[in-house]
Amino acid sequence: MRVGLEEREDQIMRDKNSGKMIFTLRSHYKISMEKLAKGICSITSLSRFESCERIPDKLLLDALLQRLGKSSDKLEAIMTVADYRLFVHREKIEECIITEDYKTAKELLSEYEKKHKAKEPVHMQYILKMKAILCELEERDIENSRRYIEEAIRVSMPEGEKSAIENALLSKSEIQLILMKIYYNDSEEEDEETLVLLKQLNHYVRCHYTDEEELVKIYAKIIRVEAKILLRKENYEKAVEVCESALALLRNNGVLLDFDEILSMLIEGLEHTKDQSRKLQKMKKWETVLSGLYKEYEILRPKGSMKLLMENSQCEIFLLNEIIKKGRKAKGLSQEALSEGICTPENLSAIESGRRAPNIKNYGKILEKLGVHKGYYNSYLSDEKFDIQEYRRECNRLMYFKKYEEIEPLLNKIEEVIDICIPVNHQYILFNRTMLQYYRKELSETEALNNAISALELTMEYNDGNFRTDSSPSQEEAKILNFIGIIYSIMDKKEIAVQLYKKVLQSYEASKVLAKGHYIGKSLIMGNLCMFLEEIDEVEESMEVAEKGIRQALKCGRITMLPVFLTNQSCCLEKKSGKNKRSCKQYLEQAFYLSAIVNNDYFKNTIKKHYLAYFG
């Protein structure tokens, strides 16, 4: 029977809701509600999440997905202002600890503890973790740090960590607690017992974290703890083995966090291992490049057990009030017109200003009236199967490495499963096939440009470059806008590309979301903007954009775009009067070795040719 349009739109929104995803994953892995919810929320709450009657806050959603072995980075999070304020509050606490402003960190933590959410298990655990770290770093009171971590573990693992590893489901946060306990109980007498526990933990994450994007965040932290013990026991060959396995995973995912410390431990192991001089030399070069970057750009690194908590979350974040306000203005509606039949204009005004959040029913009605079909948490492709999001990520990775021949089979798999009638799905397929056909020289620039614009207009009013800049584009929209700029550049219209990119960055700046909430799209735009500015001789502005890009990449723990920004700095310095040849060479060398770290042979060889041409 044919589904009516309104019924179909309602179905689309339900299917994209985070509750549907949790239910689908839990059913697929045959996990009971009791096991998934244990210690972090009630079964009643989980039931309400899955039936879309309630929405979990981001900290709880992350924990549920991690227990299912999946990454929330594959979701767009449309957060209420209240939920986002909690997210920012946690970011500020952690930033203060890293900058050693412990007084402010304590004040912020005290404020957090007074919030209503603080009584929920995942928030209680967060508070106890931060107290443990502050005891360790400010007061040097390891005994109290142990007490806080033990208390945090008992919140969701009352039977203790050993039993939990064998019998329960563990979120990344819970694994971090176990690692912190090992860190605080660090003693040579317990090394053998600790190594057994780490082996069990390692086996758990390898089996349960089927999503590599989530696995990379926690596996490296387990290896940090394990390698330290192995080096202390002078088991250098095993230390080298585990460090290399962690670095391979980090390199494959372009992740910088944990990389430098594991690299340092690998070097220590190699120094005591025979016939490894060539590898040792290369690792030391990588270490020099990374330490030089952190020093030059004054990026502070976490200390003590704080290192076990820092991560490179890339979840795309949007604010609910910005989505509604943008949609209303795009439709040319007044608050009175949009609120009619749903709520009062005063309530809508409070929603748009972030003073209150709509209930789920009203949220659905508002978005339906605006023609926007988004739940609070959405997969980038509208499909309840997480496999599809993993295929999408792999396509993006292959496109970065220019492995076009491997992309088409994955695109075919995606297209076979998803509903192509849904705009975001249609957009994804049309755009990615356009890119693939263009890079295989099956489309002209004009054809590729027209196809890309058609794909963009499925979800966004473009009007020949005139688009709204009062909120951020989605990640896929940013990729399309980036490609449009590239085509303009190839058509010798770099000025148009530059203006387009500046408008995109303007839209990111208009949002109140932190830079890390839009890292992928924003860094992509900044990478090409700085290159095109250099090519039209806007050298100072180009270097300014590239420097921001470098700082952003280092802070977010991402390596992928760093070679682009560093190469740009070298090219700009070559054009400046009184150019510093030594700095030009240094930037290129840094870009070369970072390209080697992420196995980008195409970019590495391009840099090498440039280096030889200019410096011999």
Side-chain angles (χ1 to χ4, degrees), residues 289-299 301 551 554:
V289 166
L290 287 172
S291 61
L293 281 172
Y294 285 123
K295 184 177 180 181
E296 181 179 353
Y297 293 94
E298 300 177 330
I299 305 298
R301 313 293 290 131
R551 291 183 186 280
L554 292 172

Side-chain angles (χ1 to χ4, degrees), residues 514-575:
L514 297 173
K516 69 184 291 184
H518 295 301
Y519 174 75
I520 292 177
K522 191 173 181 182
S523 64
L524 200 62
I525 296 296
M526 291 173 75
N528 279 322
L529 175 59
C530 68
M531 284 196 294
F532 295 164
L533 284 168
E534 182 267 325
E535 287 171 11
I536 61 174
D537 295 326
E538 296 291 342
V539 173
E540 294 296 339
E541 189 177 0
S542 174
M543 293 189 74
E544 184 181 330
V545 172
E547 184 170 335
K548 286 180 182 176
I550 293 167
R551 291 183 186 280
Q552 182 176 286
L554 292 172
K555 285 183 177 180
C556 292
R558 303 301 302 183
I559 196 171
T560 314
M561 292 300 296
L562 278 172
V564 175
F565 295 126
L566 290 163
T567 303
N568 182 82
Q569 297 297 68
S570 179
C571 293
C572 285
L573 283 177
E574 287 169 17
K575 287 188 172 183

Side-chain angles (χ1 to χ4, degrees), residues 362-383:
N362 284 351
Y363 177 62
K365 287 181 178 179
I366 289 169
L367 292 196
E368 184 180 341
K369 203 166 184 178
L370 293 173
V372 177
H373 307 295
K374 287 181 179 289
Y376 281 80
Y377 295 93
N378 312 286
S379 50
Y380 291 108
L381 289 169
S382 182
D383 193 273

Side-chain angles (χ1 to χ4, degrees), residues 157 196 570:
M157 297 173 273
V196 171
S570 179

Side-chain angles (χ1 to χ4, degrees), residues 15 20-21 24-25 379 381-387 389:
D15 284 351
K20 180 74 171 179
M21 296 174 200
T24 303
L25 284 167
S379 50
L381 289 169
S382 182
D383 193 273
E384 64 196 53
K385 299 180 185 68
F386 240 81
D387 289 353
Q389 314 310 324

Side-chain angles (χ1 to χ4, degrees), residues 187-437:
S187 69
E188 292 185 35
E189 291 76 18
E190 297 176 356
D191 279 353
E192 289 300 332
E193 187 179 341
T194 300
L195 284 172
V196 171
L197 182 63
L198 287 168
K199 185 178 179 180
Q200 292 173 322
L201 205 51
N202 193 332
H203 178 73
Y204 175 86
V205 299
R206 283 292 190 179
C207 291
H208 290 269
Y209 279 57
T210 54
D211 187 335
E212 191 176 277
E213 199 167 4
E214 200 61 25
L215 172 65
V216 70
K217 295 178 186 176
I218 196 63
Y219 177 71
K221 297 187 188 302
I222 295 171
I223 296 304
R224 284 174 73 152
V225 177
E226 183 179 358
K228 180 183 175 184
I229 296 171
L230 290 169
L231 289 170
R232 184 165 64 203
K233 289 172 66 63
E234 299 183 3
N235 190 345
Y236 298 116
E237 288 189 1
K238 184 63 178 176
V240 167
E241 180 188 328
V242 298
C243 285
E244 286 185 331
S245 70
L247 288 184
L249 192 61
L250 292 166
R251 292 174 67 192
N252 193 47
N253 288 272
V255 175
L256 267 179
L257 289 175
D258 301 309
F259 195 100
D260 54 339
E261 185 152 331
I262 292 174
L263 181 61
S264 176
M265 289 191 286
L266 174 59
I267 289 169
E268 184 180 344
L270 288 172
E271 285 174 336
H272 293 85
T273 308
K274 292 180 181 179
D275 304 320
Q276 296 285 3
S277 58
R278 188 171 180 180
K279 184 184 288 185
L280 178 61
Q281 186 180 9
K282 183 168 73 170
M283 296 301 105
K284 284 186 173 180
K285 189 64 183 178
W286 289 3
E287 184 180 47
T288 301
V289 166
L290 287 172
S291 61
L293 281 172
Y294 285 123
K295 184 177 180 181
E296 181 179 353
Y297 293 94
E298 300 177 330
I299 305 298
L300 294 174
R301 313 293 290 131
K303 295 180 179 179
S305 61
M306 190 68 193
K307 296 174 185 177
L308 297 171
L309 300 190
M310 297 307 294
E311 61 182 64
N312 61 305
S313 175
Q314 292 185 83
C315 180
E316 199 81 2
I317 295 173
F318 297 89
L319 295 180
L320 178 146
N321 62 316
E322 290 182 358
I323 292 279
I324 292 175
K325 190 173 182 180
K326 177 185 178 183
R328 178 176 64 78
K329 289 185 174 181
K331 287 279 185 181
L333 296 174
S334 65
Q335 289 183 336
E336 289 76 13
L338 178 56
S339 61
E340 187 178 356
I342 301 173
C343 60
T344 66
E346 291 76 18
N347 278 345
L348 181 61
S349 176
I351 289 167
E352 287 192 358
S353 66
R355 297 195 308 275
R356 63 175 296 175
N359 60 42
I360 292 176
K361 186 177 178 181
N362 284 351
Y363 177 62
K365 287 181 178 179
I366 289 169
L367 292 196
E368 184 180 341
K369 203 166 184 178
L370 293 173
V372 177
H373 307 295
K374 287 181 179 289
Y376 281 80
Y377 295 93
N378 312 286
S379 50
Y380 291 108
L381 289 169
S382 182
D383 193 273
E384 64 196 53
K385 299 180 185 68
F386 240 81
D387 289 353
I388 298 302
Q389 314 310 324
E390 289 163 4
Y391 291 155
R392 173 189 176 274
R393 178 176 177 272
E394 183 61 13
C395 279
N396 291 345
R397 196 180 72 84
L398 292 170
M399 194 69 77
Y400 170 74
F401 288 113
K402 303 186 185 298
K403 295 183 178 180
Y404 305 126
E405 69 285 352
E406 297 178 38
I407 295 173
E408 187 150 17
L410 279 175
L411 274 180
N412 291 339
K413 278 186 181 180
I414 293 171
E415 192 168 8
E416 284 169 10
V417 176
I418 62 174
D419 184 347
I420 202 70
C421 295
I422 299 172
V424 291
N425 293 350
H426 186 189
Q427 180 182 72
Y428 178 82
I429 295 297
L430 174 57
F431 171 58
N432 280 274
R433 289 211 181 280
T434 296
M435 275 205 300
L436 192 57
Q437 290 171 339

